[in-house]
Amino acid sequence: MELGGQILENRQRYDELSHQMRHVEAVIKMLDPSYNLARITVKRRQPNKWSAQRAVDVLRTATGPMTTAEIGEAVLRAEGIEASKADAQAVALGIQHSLKNHEGKGVERAGDSSPAHWRLKEAAN
């Protein structure tokens, strides 16, 4: 019970400190818009649960290159999720970021078309 209370206190303190840090970042940006906040910014990102791995699973069974929107729809369909168009776009955006981060490491863009079409990278013989 005591540990649970400490965890709750730490979460509340984290929320307060991250709120204060956002204010500090905003003031720095007002004073110097070109300042790079990456060195001081607290990592607040959530892990991307729509990772490249799910996209790769879809691309393995694909007959050709796919856009991130098509991959997102296929991932949601595979999970049995009925999503609104906005939710599907959010999933596609997460997949797009993951694919860009993994470009050349298993996945690659197919051509220079817009929107980008993705495929599995062919193995070197």
Side-chain angles (χ1 to χ4, degrees):
M1 192 163 141
E2 182 179 329
L3 289 175
Q6 288 178 351
I7 290 171
L8 182 60
E9 279 180 34
N10 285 337
R11 279 192 195 139
Q12 290 170 343
R13 184 71 179 140
Y14 169 81
D15 290 341
E16 292 170 11
L17 290 174
S18 64
H19 184 72
Q20 291 173 3
M21 189 65 184
R22 285 189 191 105
H23 284 284
V24 169
E25 293 168 4
V27 170
I28 290 172
K29 275 304 207 184
M30 282 191 309
L31 297 175
D32 185 6
S34 64
Y35 187 81
N36 183 6
L37 293 174
R39 292 182 289 164
I40 64 166
T41 302
V42 177
K43 300 293 182 191
R44 292 184 286 266
R45 296 186 196 126
Q46 299 292 325
N48 183 0
K49 70 179 197 172
W50 306 108
S51 66
Q53 184 59 49
R54 291 185 184 197
V56 167
D57 293 341
V58 168
L59 289 172
R60 281 190 184 118
T61 60
T63 57
M66 298 174 74
T67 65
T68 54
E70 294 167 340
I71 296 169
E73 289 173 11
V75 166
L76 289 171
R77 211 175 15 244
E79 295 291 321
I81 299 172
E82 290 281 332
S84 68
K85 186 172 182 171
D87 290 339
Q89 286 177 339
V91 168
L93 184 62
I95 289 171
Q96 179 180 5
H97 289 296
S98 288
L99 290 173
K100 283 184 179 181
N101 288 338
H102 291 88
E103 189 171 5
K105 304 174 204 156
V107 294
E108 63 185 5
R109 274 186 76 159
D112 293 327
S113 63
S114 184
H117 286 72
W118 295 88
R119 65 179 173 214
L120 293 179
K121 186 175 179 184
E122 295 180 16
N125 291 329

